[in-house]
Amino acid sequence: MARRSGCLALLLVPFLLLAAIVMAPVWINDHRLARMVDRIQEYPLPSGTDFGSFDPQVEVSGDSGDCWYTIRFELSTERPVQEVLNHYRQAKIEDPDGDLGDYEVVAFTVFDEPGTHVDGTSAANSVIIDLDGMYSGSWMDMRCY
């Protein structure tokens, strides 16, 4: 029985190595993006602003080897949306390639049908920030194809 288990393990080793080789670029790029998320969270917030109820989310997509990312995070703020948007547009946060501010920033809020904020009479508004950019070094990342 032990001999069969050993033979089975030896047969699985090449497949495990192949899986690690295929996944390594994904893991490396995920680490680079996670470091950017850390830099975003360390960047000073506008006054009267706190991070929202969900952790930053990262989405990666691509086409023909180009990798695009979106980092989305929520803020709860008493500041006007345009002021928060300008705060992050002026920020020089290092992207996954090491460039400063090489991304686009979009902000939006959630409204109900009549056009009032969903959170009602609260002084703090929920603002969603999206940082959209592209990173290089992705020729083997399967999400970029």
Side-chain angles (χ1 to χ4, degrees):
M1 184 65 134
R3 186 174 184 176
R4 285 186 184 173
S5 297
C7 290
L8 181 61
L10 284 176
L11 289 174
L12 290 177
V13 168
F15 294 108
L16 293 173
L17 288 174
L18 180 62
I21 290 169
V22 169
M23 290 303 296
V26 173
W27 296 330
I28 291 167
N29 289 331
D30 284 349
H31 177 72
R32 292 169 57 198
L33 289 164
R35 288 181 40 220
M36 184 176 180
V37 168
D38 291 343
R39 289 188 289 273
I40 291 168
Q41 290 177 317
E42 292 168 359
Y43 190 78
L45 293 168
S47 63
T49 303
D50 288 315
F51 281 103
S53 60
F54 64 85
D55 290 333
Q57 301 169 349
V58 179
E59 180 182 338
V60 176
S61 61
D63 183 29
S64 301
D66 294 331
C67 255
W68 305 303
Y69 65 87
T70 298
I71 299 174
R72 174 175 290 170
F73 57 97
E74 180 186 19
L75 298 174
S76 177
T77 184
E78 299 169 357
R79 314 301 307 168
V81 175
Q82 189 62 45
E83 186 176 319
V84 175
L85 178 62
N86 289 340
H87 176 80
Y88 282 98
R89 283 186 173 161
Q90 294 171 359
K92 297 299 180 202
I93 299 170
E94 185 179 326
D95 72 358
D97 290 333
D99 298 325
L100 295 177
D102 190 21
Y103 47 81
E104 294 182 19
V105 182
V106 178
F108 58 93
T109 60
V110 180
F111 292 92
D112 65 5
E113 287 186 28
T116 59
H117 287 282
V118 171
D119 58 0
T121 60
S122 172
N125 295 318
S126 177
V127 177
I128 308 294
I129 303 289
D130 278 1
L131 278 75
D132 300 311
M134 189 170 142
Y135 62 87
S136 62
S138 59
W139 62 275
M140 296 227 7
D141 190 334
M142 63 188 145
R143 299 174 294 183
C144 304
Y145 290 92

